[in-house]
Amino acid sequence: MNYQELIVKNLDRILDFWLLIDDKGRVIYCSQLIYRELGYCEADIIDQPFQIFFPANDPGSADYLYQLLFDSYSGSVVNQKTRIKLKNGVIIDIELSLYQLDTEHNYILIAFNNITEVVEIRKKVKSKIESLYKELNLFDSRTIYESIQDFIDTILVSITAGQGLRFNRAFLFLVDEDEGILRGIQAIGPGSGEEAGMIYSEFDSAPKTLSEMIERYKLMNDTDSAVNTILTDVQINLSDYQNVLIKALSSQKYILISDEYPLINEPSVIWLREMLQVHECAVIPLLWHGRSTGVFVVDNQVTRSQITTHDIKGITRYAEAATNALESAKLMNSLDMSINQIKQANLKIRESQEILVQKEKLAVMGEMVAHMAHEVRGPLATIGGYASRVYKQMDESDHHYDSISRIVEVVGTLELVVNDILDKSMPEEEVTMGCDCSKAINKVLNILEEEIHLRKVSVSMNIQGDLPDINIKEHHLFEIISNLVRNALEAIDNDGLLLVLASSIDNHVVITIQDTGAGIKSDVEGKIFSPFFTTKKEGTGLGLVVVKKLVEENNGTIQVRSVLDKGTTFIISFPVEPDGVENGG
Amino acid sequence: MADKKRLLIIDDDKNMRELLELEFQDQDYAVITAENAFDGLQVLKNESVDLVVLDIKMPGMDGIEALEKIVSIYRELPVVIHSAYSHFKENYLTWSAVAYVIKSGKFDELFETVKTHIG
C-alpha cells in the first residue's frame, strides 16, 4: 500500500492550504487550494524555494520561520502569524504552522489558513474603537452612526473582495427586535455581468489592499445601486418560522440553497431565489453570544461558481467576526449614549452642588454675622448707657455736649442696625411636620421605664391605631407628655396605676394621662398652672407652667380633673392638621 | 418710708454690671451685683432680694441653669432675663422667668419691666 499516495491525495480533505518542503526548502507537493485560491500554477511552485510565497520586501520571514522550527523542542511551530503574497501580488495575512516530519530527510509540512478578513476586521475595529474613545469628549450622534455604517461597509466589501471571501454578492439582513422583524439593510455586488467584469479586471491590474477597497466602496456610496434596491423594504416577521431566512436565524445553522436543497419548493425559497435572481445562494446566520442578530445571503450570481463547503466555512467564521464587530459598534453606540446621559446628570449634580455650597457659605456667613451682632450688642449697650449718663448731666452750654450727644445718637443708630441684621438672620421658623403622638408617648414610657419599675407602677396604654398626625414640634410634645407622666409617677409614689390614652375625637387628637395618686386639693386645683406653684417639697414646679405654655403655643388645650386620694387626670387636646398642609415657613 | 426694693444683678460683663448699678440706683433701688451664677446664688442665700436681673451667656453656670435653680429654690422670686441674645426669647426654657429684655443703651424697657413686677 502506498501510504504516501494515500495521505497526499487525502490531505486536502483535512487541511486547506499546505505545502510539503524538502530538505533544501523546495516545494515538493502542495494542496489544490493553493492553485485555486492563490492563483499559482504548478510551474510557479513545484521545485521552487518556499521563499517565493513571501513578499519581496520581506524575504527574511521564511528564514525566521525555519529558525523558529529548528529551535523548537517539539519540532513544530504552530499558528505563527505572517503574510504571504498571491500570484497577483496581493498580500494576505495568514496563520501558519510548520511541522518537521522526518528528521532523517528534513521534510517539513507547512499548513496555513487565510485570516486576512479576520485581521482586517480586527484592525478596523481596534482603530475605530480607539478613535471613538478619542471622540468621546466631542460626542456627536452622527459620528456613531457613521461607525456602524463603517462596519457594515467593511463587512460587505470583505465578503466580496478579491482578498476576502470572494463571493460575487452579499446581502445583509439585521434583526430589529423592537419591530419584531428581519430587515434588509445593505447589499454589495455588481448589478450585471458587464459591471462585474469591469470590476474584476480592474482589481487584477491594480491589486488593492482590503482597506483601500473599503475606502473606495464608501466613496461610491451606491445606496441606489441595483443590489441595494432589491433589499429596499424587505421585512420578514420574526415569527414567520417557515421562512428560510428565519429558519437559518433560529436554527443558527447555515442553509445552502441549491438545486439539491430538500425544501426547494418552499414558498420563501422560491421568493428568495426570484428576488435575487439566482439559483444557488447561502444563508449564513450572524450569531452574537448565542443570539441571532441577522443573516448574510451570499451568492455567485455573476461567475456562477459553485459555493463549496470551504466557502461556507470561511464565511461562517467571517460571520462571527463580523457580528462581533457590529455588536461592538452597537454597544459603543449605547455606551456613548449612556456616557452622554451620565455627563448630563453629572453636570446637573455639579450645578446643584455649587448651589448647595453657595447656600452653605451664605448660611455660615449668616451665622457668623449673627454671632458678631450678638457679641456687639452688650458692649454697645454699655457705651450707649454710659454716654447717656454723661449726656443727661450736661446742658447745651457744656463744652463736651456736642461730642456726647453725637455718641449717644450714633450708638442708637448702631443698635438699630444690629437689630435689623439679627431680625433678618433669624433662622426660619422650624417647619412643623405632622407629628405622630404614639411615637412621643412610647419614647417617654421607654425613658421612664426604670422609674416605673422601681415605683412598682402598672402602666396601661391604649393608643388608637390610625391616630392622625398633629401639628406640633415633636420635642414639644415629648416635653409635655414627659412632664405629665413624671408628675403622675410622683403623685402615685409607689404601687399605683398609670393610664395613657390617645384617640381621635371630632377632628382632634385627645391624650389622657391618668394616675391613681394623691390627687389635688380642690382649692389649689385652679392654681396648678401658675408659675412656681407646687405642693412638692422639692422640684421646680415649673413643669406644669411649661406644659400649659407649650400646649397653648401649639393651639391645644389642657384640662385637669382630680379627686383627692383617688387620682388625677390630665386631658390635652390638639387639632388634627388638615391633609397635606404643613405649618411654618 | 418704705424700704427700697432690692435688686440682684448677675452679669459677667463688669461694665454692664456697674452701669446697671448706677442706673438702678438712680431709680431708687438698692442694688447688689454678682459676676457669676454661683456668687449670685450665694447672695440669695444670705440676703433678701426682691428681683433678679439675670444675664444668659456666662461662663461656668449659664443663665438658663441659674434660672432653673433660682426658681426652684425661691419660688416667689421674679427673675428678669437681660440678654444680648434673642434666641432664647421664644424658647420655653426661659418661660419660668417673668420677662425677657434685650440689652440696649436705652434702659426704658428694663425699668418698666422691673417696676411692673416689684414696683
Side-chain angles (χ1 to χ4, degrees):
Chain A
M1 165 64 104
N2 191 342
Y3 287 110
Q4 189 181 20
E5 253 194 70
L6 181 73
I7 289 178
V8 166
K9 283 211 166 82
N10 286 287
L11 208 50
D12 273 350
R13 297 167 79 184
I14 307 170
L15 297 173
D16 289 339
F17 300 93
W18 59 268
L19 305 155
L20 189 59
I21 313 289
D22 70 7
D23 56 341
K24 294 198 180 54
R26 288 185 306 228
V27 181
I28 308 173
Y29 286 112
C30 73
S31 72
Q32 290 303 306
L33 270 182
I34 291 193
Y35 301 131
R36 276 216 326 253
E37 299 277 334
L38 306 189
Y40 294 97
C41 59
E42 225 178 284
D44 295 326
I45 307 180
I46 305 298
D47 265 351
Q48 297 301 321
F50 168 53
Q51 271 84 346
I52 56 156
F53 288 104
F54 289 90
N57 62 348
D58 196 16
S61 340
D63 297 324
Y64 173 66
L65 290 167
Y66 275 146
Q67 202 54 47
L68 276 182
L69 185 62
F70 293 129
D71 286 343
S72 74
Y73 287 117
S74 58
S76 63
V77 172
V78 174
N79 288 342
Q80 196 65 16
K81 286 189 178 54
T82 184
R83 311 170 86 197
I84 58 170
K85 69 177 201 289
L86 307 184
K87 175 69 186 278
N88 60 12
V90 172
I91 312 293
I92 60 167
D93 293 282
I94 60 168
E95 232 171 43
L96 181 149
S97 302
L98 306 108
Y99 305 92
Q100 269 183 308
L101 291 183
D102 183 335
T103 44
E104 196 189 324
H105 295 98
N106 272 333
Y107 281 21
I108 298 169
L109 178 67
I110 300 176
F112 60 87
N113 291 315
N114 180 357
I115 59 167
T116 295
E117 68 279 15
V118 174
V119 167
E120 287 282 349
I121 289 289
R122 279 210 200 108
K123 273 197 255 168
K124 267 225 149 275
V125 168
K126 186 156 178 259
S127 74
K128 213 22 149 177
I129 287 179
E130 278 165 19
S131 67
L132 281 175
Y133 273 130
K134 280 194 218 128
E135 281 163 6
L136 271 178
N137 285 326
L138 308 166
F139 174 76
D140 177 348
S141 58
R142 284 180 299 128
T143 314
I144 297 306
Y145 174 76
E146 270 171 22
S147 69
I148 290 185
Q149 189 57 49
D150 256 358
F151 286 132
I152 293 175
D153 292 339
T154 306
I155 289 156
L156 289 173
V157 170
S158 307
I159 292 176
T160 51
Q163 304 85 336
L165 297 159
R166 281 198 308 161
F167 286 98
N168 294 168
R169 309 186 304 173
F171 301 83
L172 174 64
F173 299 79
L174 290 177
V175 169
D176 183 341
E177 279 180 3
D178 296 332
E179 305 274 326
I181 54 173
L182 183 69
R183 189 200 298 276
I185 303 291
Q186 195 170 322
I188 186 174
S192 66
E194 283 151 40
E195 197 189 324
M198 266 177 19
I199 296 174
Y200 292 154
S201 59
E202 193 191 314
F203 283 150
D204 278 338
S205 57
K208 295 178 169 53
T209 63
L210 196 54
S211 311
E212 286 169 344
M213 286 176 45
I214 292 167
E215 285 309 312
R216 191 160 172 282
Y217 171 70
K218 285 204 296 211
L219 287 172
M220 271 165 39
N221 194 19
D222 65 344
T223 45
D224 293 330
S225 72
V227 282
N228 268 301
T229 49
I230 294 174
L231 276 190
T232 322
D233 298 328
V234 173
Q235 286 183 9
I236 303 154
N237 245 309
L238 292 177
S239 52
D240 187 357
Y241 295 123
Q242 299 295 345
N243 187 294
V244 62
L245 298 183
I246 304 295
K247 272 213 194 93
L249 196 69
S250 54
S251 67
Q252 298 185 348
K253 287 194 165 67
Y254 73 86
I255 297 176
L256 180 58
I257 298 172
S258 63
D259 289 331
E260 280 83 51
Y261 183 53
L263 296 174
I264 200 74
N265 291 313
E266 200 266 317
S268 67
V269 175
I270 296 172
W271 160 79
L272 186 66
R273 279 170 132 195
E274 204 171 289
M275 181 174 77
L276 301 180
Q277 291 289 298
V278 83
H279 275 292
E280 192 183 48
C281 60
V283 182
I284 323 283
L286 294 171
L287 300 179
W288 192 67
H289 285 200
R291 273 176 37 235
S292 306
T293 55
V295 293
F296 279 127
V297 177
V298 293
D299 68 31
N300 287 322
Q301 194 223 39
V302 178
T303 58
R304 316 256 167 192
S305 326
Q306 202 188 18
I307 299 178
T308 64
T309 44
H310 166 71
D311 296 329
I312 302 278
K313 262 202 288 182
I315 196 170
T316 308
R317 264 206 345 194
Y318 184 86
E320 281 168 21
T323 323
N324 283 336
L326 263 175
E327 293 300 323
S328 298
K330 282 199 223 160
L331 279 179
M332 283 304 293
N333 202 6
S334 55
L335 179 66
D336 268 318
M337 290 203 306
S338 305
I339 287 173
N340 212 37
Q341 281 171 358
I342 290 172
K343 277 206 246 166
Q344 299 288 6
N346 277 343
L347 211 63
K348 285 216 176 90
I349 289 174
R350 239 211 318 270
E351 282 168 7
S352 317
Q353 277 176 347
E354 278 167 5
I355 292 172
L356 263 175
V357 166
Q358 262 309 99
K359 277 201 176 150
E360 273 178 25
K361 278 195 194 154
L362 286 173
V364 166
M365 263 174 53
E367 273 175 30
M368 272 171 52
V369 167
H371 182 70
M372 267 175 54
H374 283 130
E375 295 293 307
V376 152
R377 244 189 188 148
L380 210 52
T382 50
I383 296 172
Y386 281 116
S388 289
R389 287 185 69 79
V390 173
Y391 178 68
K392 280 182 219 149
Q393 309 292 353
M394 290 186 181
D395 59 39
E396 285 178 23
S397 60
D398 198 291
H399 205 50
H400 300 291
Y401 183 78
D402 187 46
S403 304
I404 295 296
S405 68
R406 282 176 209 257
I407 293 175
V408 171
E409 191 189 314
V410 169
V411 169
T413 311
L414 215 47
E415 266 189 18
L416 291 175
V417 167
V418 166
N419 284 338
D420 210 28
I421 293 174
L422 290 175
D423 279 342
K424 289 209 181 103
S425 77
M426 275 302 261
E428 281 166 35
E429 266 289 300
E430 241 175 74
V431 173
T432 310
M433 304 281 270
C435 177
D436 180 6
C437 305
S438 57
K439 260 176 51 186
I441 294 172
N442 279 311
K443 207 164 148 187
V444 170
L445 292 175
N446 274 332
I447 288 176
L448 293 174
E449 202 181 320
E450 207 180 308
E451 193 180 331
I452 291 171
H453 185 69
L454 278 170
R455 290 184 188 269
K456 300 201 197 52
V457 171
S458 306
V459 177
S460 180
M461 218 168 68
N462 193 338
I463 300 177
Q464 185 177 303
D466 56 347
L467 206 61
D469 288 347
I470 50 174
N471 222 345
I472 180 174
K473 295 191 181 75
E474 204 178 309
H475 63 96
H476 278 188
L477 185 61
F478 175 79
E479 200 65 37
I480 292 167
I481 296 175
S482 171
N483 266 288
L484 292 176
V485 170
R486 266 185 227 265
N487 281 358
L489 290 175
E490 276 186 45
I492 292 170
D493 200 20
N494 274 302
D495 276 320
L497 197 65
L498 173 67
L499 179 67
V500 181
L501 302 171
S503 55
S504 75
I505 299 165
D506 210 15
N507 230 24
H508 281 71
V509 165
V510 178
I511 301 174
T512 306
I513 296 172
Q514 188 171 38
D515 65 66
T516 56
I520 303 170
K521 278 203 278 247
S522 49
D523 59 336
V524 298
E525 210 178 299
K527 289 198 210 157
I528 59 166
F529 292 116
S530 307
F532 318 122
F533 176 85
T534 181
T535 54
K536 289 182 258 182
K537 288 192 211 76
E538 43 184 87
T540 61
L542 66 78
L544 287 178
V545 176
V546 171
V547 167
K548 181 158 187 268
K549 265 196 179 157
L550 282 172
V551 168
E552 284 167 2
E553 270 262 310
N554 288 284
N555 301 314
T557 58
I558 180 165
Q559 294 169 304
V560 62
R561 307 268 148 77
S562 186
V563 177
L564 205 55
D565 292 327
K566 285 270 162 45
T568 310
T569 305
F570 281 96
I571 302 165
I572 48 182
S573 153
F574 292 100
V576 173
E577 61 171 18
D579 272 324
V581 169
E582 296 169 357
N583 190 27
Chain B
M1 188 156 108
D3 274 342
K4 282 188 193 176
K5 296 287 181 181
R6 299 166 65 84
L7 302 177
L8 170 60
I9 305 197
I10 308 178
D11 197 317
D12 61 323
D13 178 355
K14 180 168 185 267
N15 288 321
M16 178 55 76
R17 237 175 17 243
E18 292 176 7
L19 176 61
L20 286 174
E21 193 173 14
L22 292 170
E23 289 288 316
F24 276 116
Q25 278 168 355
D26 285 353
Q27 299 286 324
D28 217 26
Y29 292 98
V31 178
I32 310 171
T33 62
E35 65 178 9
N36 62 55
F38 291 107
D39 290 354
L41 287 167
Q42 209 52 29
V43 167
L44 288 175
K45 255 199 200 152
N46 302 323
E47 313 259 355
S48 116
V49 167
D50 296 310
L51 183 142
V52 180
V53 174
L54 180 61
D55 185 19
I56 295 211
K57 274 276 175 260
M58 295 185 289
M61 197 194 307
D62 70 18
I64 303 287
E65 210 188 320
L67 173 65
E68 238 189 299
K69 283 210 156 54
I70 295 171
V71 156
S72 65
I73 305 171
Y74 309 96
R75 283 175 215 127
E76 302 284 335
L77 183 58
V79 177
V80 172
I81 305 259
H82 184 226
S83 174
Y85 282 76
S86 343
H87 308 325
F88 294 99
K89 196 157 184 181
E90 305 302 321
N91 192 324
Y92 68 87
L93 288 172
T94 55
W95 286 350
S96 40
V98 301
Y100 192 119
V101 177
I102 307 278
K103 282 186 184 171
S104 162
K106 301 185 178 63
F107 293 101
D108 303 331
E109 195 192 337
L110 185 56
F111 293 153
E112 275 300 313
T113 307
V114 171
K115 197 159 174 202
T116 311
H117 283 91
I118 57 169

